[in-house]
């Protein structure tokens, strides 16, 4: 095997502290944090300021009433779609790519969805980096291009050292960020109650009527933030085992930091809309499109309360803290995603740092292309593919696994256990994306155009179970047994912590990461191989043969 003979690759891939299990199950030995600590760290990553801009942009166009209802619609759907996906990640300690493999896509099929997510991390990093560059330009006069470079480079030292460094950063900066963002807002609402009335009555560019198409159009922009769920998953996959002793704290942490991220996101969108209306009606009626920029929003709010020099300093501090908090997460999650893709395709692992830099180069290029000026269009377009992808995974978990019981309930992710490609998820995502993008482009007329994301959701929700029924679940598992006699889950339903030695790498791995090897030992004894070794293997010498398909009689009897 070409790659595993390169000891450096194997050691880098197995190094716990630096690599953070970029394409692997996260073992118990690494998950030493409490549920509340993991939840707090995950929530720290939602300090991004793009929410404020999104809320402002849809509100200025469609008015407060339509924007609020659109934000509510998107939040409810995102929570419902995200709950089962996030639960599987937290319960079985897998990232979204590993969950997708066994939820309708196959071992190589999930590469497509991982590239979609990796693209999101680049776009979102660029949007957030642009906001930081705007803050530096306003506060200290740094030219935007140089600000883009600064906002990119500053995250590198933190991201390289992974989860432990991120946990410390998020813990220490979250209280300060909350104080800077919320205390001035609370003061304005309390001392200027008329600003709330003007906010509620604001009609934007609309005619003031509540319109279902305007609500859906507002929600469509919000849907593009759904991949933030995958970034939350990159944190909550290190949740500790759920037991009777920690069940309450486990569930609270999971709900708020997993699918519940959208509650905080929706709240920030409403705040962004309020600040934009406040600028337009109270501070500078001629501000125009700049009202959607978070830098302008917070600067206008602070300048109405404190001297200009202090307002500028506070805004700069808020912007820098917020951008570092979210962009270390964007860079971290993007590096994990690109690692996953490259390793499966090329069968070698150069280390996660390479992919940190790759992700940041793409993000910097997008900033230099001024992607921020197209924020609503870019996010609305991306939302179609994003929702097709995540609804397919969610539908497979809820409908195909739990209701129809066609898809295996345990989220299998190991090479050798899965087929390379599963048409269930691939066809669902492709069809849902194609129809929604055609609708978005106006191919079915202007009346349907605002509903493109809902079409993506509906098609994915219908096609996913239909494909599972049509294929009779034949493309989920290549084998039903991994050849190891001990159970993969413990008595509480958590992944087992039993450790077995991989005869290829020489390392020991926990039970969910292991399979029986097709290669016997020198004395004919059974040997075990890790999913890491199989990922880096460019042959099938350690992969057990597929099981014969069940006969028609066995299928009919339910065996």
């Amino acid at each position: 095997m070409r790659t595993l003979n390169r000891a450096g690759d194997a050691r880098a891939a197995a190094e716990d502290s630096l690599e953070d299990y970029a394409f692997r199950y996260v073992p118990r030995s690494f998950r030493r944090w409490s549920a509340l600590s993991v939840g707090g760290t995950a929530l720290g990553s939602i300090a991004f300021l793009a929410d404020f801009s999104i809320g402002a942009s849809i509100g200025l166009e469609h008015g407060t009433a339509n924007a609020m209802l659109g934000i509510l619609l998107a939040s409810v759907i995102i929570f419902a779609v995200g709950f089962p996906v996030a639960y599987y990640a937290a319960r079985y300690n897998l990232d979204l790519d590993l969950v997708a493999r066994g939820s309708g896509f196959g071992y190589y099929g999930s590469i497509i969805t991982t590239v979609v997510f990796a693209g999101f991390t680049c776009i979102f990093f660029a949007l957030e980096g642009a906001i930081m560059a705007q803050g530096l330009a306003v506060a200290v006069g740094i030219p935007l291009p140089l600000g883009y470079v600064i906002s990119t480079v500053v995250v590198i030292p933190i991201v390289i050292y992974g989860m432990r460094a991120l946990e410390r950063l998020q813990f220490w900066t979250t209280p300060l960020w909350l104080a800077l963002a919320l205390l001035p807002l609370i003061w304005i609402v309390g001392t200027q109650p008329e600003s709330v009335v003007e906010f509620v009555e604001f009609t934007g560019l609309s005619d003031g009527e509540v319109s279902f198409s305007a609500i859906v159009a507002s929600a469509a922009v919000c849907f593009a933030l759904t991949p933030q769920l995958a970034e939350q998953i990159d944190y909550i996959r290190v949740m500790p085992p759920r037991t009777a002793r920690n069940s309450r704290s486990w569930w609270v942490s999971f709900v708020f930091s997993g699918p519940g991220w959208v509650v905080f996101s929706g709240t920030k969108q409403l705040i962004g809309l309020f600040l934009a209306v406040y600028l337009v009606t109270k501070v500078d009626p001629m501000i125009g499109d700049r009202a959607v920029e978070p830098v302008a929003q917070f600067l206008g709010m602070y300048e109405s309360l404190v001297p200009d020099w202090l307002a500028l300093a506070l805004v700069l501090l808020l912007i820098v803290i917020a951008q570092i908090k979210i962009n270390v997460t964007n860079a971290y999650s993007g590096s994990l995603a690109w690692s996953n893709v490259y390793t499966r395709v090329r069968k070698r692992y150069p280390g996660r740092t390479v992919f940190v830099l790759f992700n940041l180069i793409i993000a910097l290029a997008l900033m230099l292309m001024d992607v921020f000026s197209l924020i609503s269009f870019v996010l609305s377009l991306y939302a179609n593919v994003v929702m097709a992808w995540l609804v397919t995974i969610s539908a497979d978990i809820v409908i195909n696994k739990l209701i129809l019981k066609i898809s295996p309930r345990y989220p299998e992710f190991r090479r050798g256990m899965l087929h390379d490609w599963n048409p269930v998820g691939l066809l669902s995502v492709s069809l849902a994306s194609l129809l929604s993008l055609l609708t978005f482009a106006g191919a079915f007329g202007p009346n349907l155009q605002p509903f493109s994301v809902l079409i993506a959701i509906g098609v994915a929700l219908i096609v996913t179970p239909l494909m599972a029924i049509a294929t009779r679940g034949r493309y989920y598992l290549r084998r039903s047994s991994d050849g190891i006699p001990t159970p993969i889950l413990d008595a509480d339903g958590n992944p087992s912590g039993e450790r077995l030695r991989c005869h290829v790498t020489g390392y020991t791995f926990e039970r969910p990461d292991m399979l029986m090897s097709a290669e016997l030992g020198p004395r004919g004894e059974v040997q075990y191989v890790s999913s890491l070794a199989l990922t880096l293997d460019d042959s099938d010498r350690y992969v057990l043969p597929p099981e014969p398909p069940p006969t028609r009689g066995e299928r009919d009897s339910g065996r």
Side-chain angles (χ1 to χ4, degrees):
M1 185 172 55
R2 183 182 71 236
T3 303
L4 285 180
N5 288 334
R6 299 172 180 171
D9 274 8
R11 291 192 185 98
E15 170 57 46
D16 296 358
S17 62
L18 186 61
E19 300 307 339
D20 278 8
Y21 303 92
F23 46 91
R24 298 167 50 198
Y25 155 78
V26 184
R28 289 191 184 198
S29 58
F30 182 77
R31 295 181 277 118
R32 301 186 182 98
W33 296 276
S34 69
L36 292 176
S37 178
V38 173
T41 301
L43 283 177
S45 70
I46 63 170
F48 52 89
L49 298 181
D51 272 334
F52 296 96
S53 185
I54 289 170
S57 64
I58 61 177
L60 292 178
E61 181 176 356
H62 301 293
T64 295
N66 288 316
M68 290 180 67
L69 291 173
I71 292 169
L72 178 62
L73 174 64
S75 299
V76 170
I77 292 176
I78 291 171
F79 185 92
V81 169
F83 191 96
V85 181
Y87 175 78
Y88 259 57
R91 182 64 161 153
Y92 299 110
N93 311 111
L94 307 172
D95 66 23
L96 189 53
D97 176 83
L98 271 61
V99 173
R101 293 182 193 181
S103 300
F105 289 91
Y107 182 75
Y108 286 111
S110 68
I111 287 176
I112 297 171
T113 65
T114 303
V115 170
V116 172
F117 169 59
F120 167 82
T121 66
C122 294
I123 293 172
F124 208 41
F125 188 107
L127 294 176
E128 294 293 324
I131 294 173
M132 180 172 173
Q134 291 166 6
L136 293 173
V138 171
V140 292
I142 294 177
L144 281 177
L146 180 58
Y148 297 152
V149 174
I150 293 172
S151 66
T152 302
V153 173
V154 72
V155 304
I156 294 176
I158 302 170
V159 177
I160 286 176
Y161 287 96
M163 182 65 188
R164 290 185 175 93
L166 295 180
E167 190 270 341
R168 296 187 188 101
L169 171 74
Q170 303 294 10
F171 178 81
W172 289 107
T173 55
T174 296
L176 178 58
W177 180 87
L178 287 172
L180 289 170
L182 297 182
L183 290 181
L185 177 69
I186 294 171
W187 179 262
I188 286 176
V189 171
T191 59
Q192 303 178 40
E194 71 278 3
S195 63
V196 178
V197 176
E198 292 171 340
F199 164 69
V200 172
E201 295 176 348
F202 185 75
T203 60
L205 299 178
S206 71
D207 57 8
E209 296 295 322
V210 174
S211 161
F212 184 62
S213 61
I215 293 171
V216 174
S218 299
V221 182
C222 305
F223 281 131
L225 293 175
T226 309
Q228 178 62 30
L229 173 69
E231 298 197 351
Q232 300 303 115
I233 283 173
D234 283 336
Y235 286 107
I236 64 174
R237 69 192 177 113
V238 302
M239 287 280 278
R242 194 186 80 205
T243 63
R245 183 176 181 181
N246 73 348
S247 181
R248 178 175 296 180
S249 64
W250 193 98
W251 276 109
V252 169
S253 299
F254 161 72
V255 170
F256 280 99
S257 62
W261 73 270
V262 74
V263 176
F264 301 96
S265 177
T267 302
K268 287 159 56 191
Q269 290 165 32
L270 292 176
I271 293 174
L273 172 54
F274 175 84
L275 291 176
V277 174
Y278 182 77
L279 287 182
V280 171
T281 59
K282 290 286 190 181
V283 179
D284 182 6
M286 305 302 293
I287 193 169
D289 292 340
R290 288 191 59 243
V292 306
E293 297 178 6
V295 174
Q297 292 173 358
F298 283 98
L299 186 60
M301 177 176 66
Y302 277 119
E303 284 180 341
S304 68
L305 302 175
V306 298
D308 290 355
W309 66 269
L310 181 56
L312 201 58
L314 292 173
V315 167
L316 181 61
L317 180 61
L318 171 65
I319 296 294
V320 170
I321 290 175
Q323 298 325 295
I324 291 177
K325 283 170 71 64
I326 182 56
N327 269 350
V328 294
T329 301
N330 285 325
Y332 174 68
S333 294
S335 70
L336 295 180
W338 291 120
S339 297
N340 243 316
V341 172
Y342 182 87
T343 305
R344 270 177 292 167
V345 173
R346 297 290 298 166
K347 304 299 182 186
R348 63 168 309 213
Y349 185 64
R352 187 171 58 82
T353 302
V354 172
F355 300 105
V356 171
L357 299 177
F358 177 72
N359 203 60
L360 295 183
I361 289 171
I362 296 175
L364 178 59
L366 290 173
M367 280 187 266
L368 293 171
M369 293 165 58
D370 196 20
V371 70
F372 187 84
S373 64
L374 302 172
I375 182 171
S376 290
F377 173 78
V378 170
L379 293 181
S380 297
L381 176 67
Y382 207 69
N384 295 281
V385 180
V386 163
M387 293 308 294
W389 157 47
L390 286 173
V391 171
T392 294
I393 299 174
S394 188
D396 192 89
I397 292 173
V398 175
I399 302 174
N400 295 351
K401 292 185 185 297
L402 304 181
I403 297 176
L404 299 179
K405 302 187 188 304
I406 297 175
S407 175
R409 183 160 185 163
Y410 178 77
E412 185 57 71
F413 62 93
R414 298 166 294 179
R415 181 187 174 199
M417 294 297 293
L418 293 166
H419 287 285
D420 288 345
W421 307 92
N422 188 337
V424 172
L426 295 172
L427 184 63
S428 176
V429 165
S430 300
L431 189 59
S433 298
L434 177 63
L435 291 177
S436 63
L437 287 173
L438 287 174
T439 304
F440 180 81
F444 304 120
N447 292 333
L448 277 181
Q449 215 165 356
F451 301 94
S452 63
V453 177
L454 295 185
I455 288 173
I457 294 171
V459 172
L461 201 58
I462 294 170
V463 173
T464 302
L466 287 181
M467 280 298 299
I469 294 170
T471 60
R472 297 186 178 183
R474 289 194 301 269
Y475 298 98
Y476 282 98
L477 290 181
R478 184 174 171 271
R479 295 181 56 85
S480 60
S481 170
D482 60 14
I484 301 177
T486 55
I488 202 166
L489 301 177
D490 64 16
D492 292 315
N494 300 298
S496 171
E498 175 191 8
R499 299 193 72 87
L500 300 168
R501 182 179 179 276
C502 171
H503 76 95
V504 178
T505 65
Y507 293 108
T508 60
F509 297 83
E510 291 187 5
R511 171 67 180 86
D513 241 349
M514 298 295 291
L515 305 86
M516 191 176 99
S517 175
E519 185 176 274
L520 297 176
R523 298 181 180 84
E525 72 273 16
V526 171
Q527 299 188 115
Y528 300 118
V529 62
S530 65
S531 64
L532 169 66
L534 293 180
T535 299
L536 295 174
D537 185 13
D538 56 5
S539 72
D540 290 332
R541 61 185 293 190
Y542 306 117
V543 177
L544 291 171
E547 295 173 342
T551 65
R552 181 175 180 179
E554 289 174 333
R555 286 198 301 267
D556 293 342
S557 65
R559 291 177 59 188

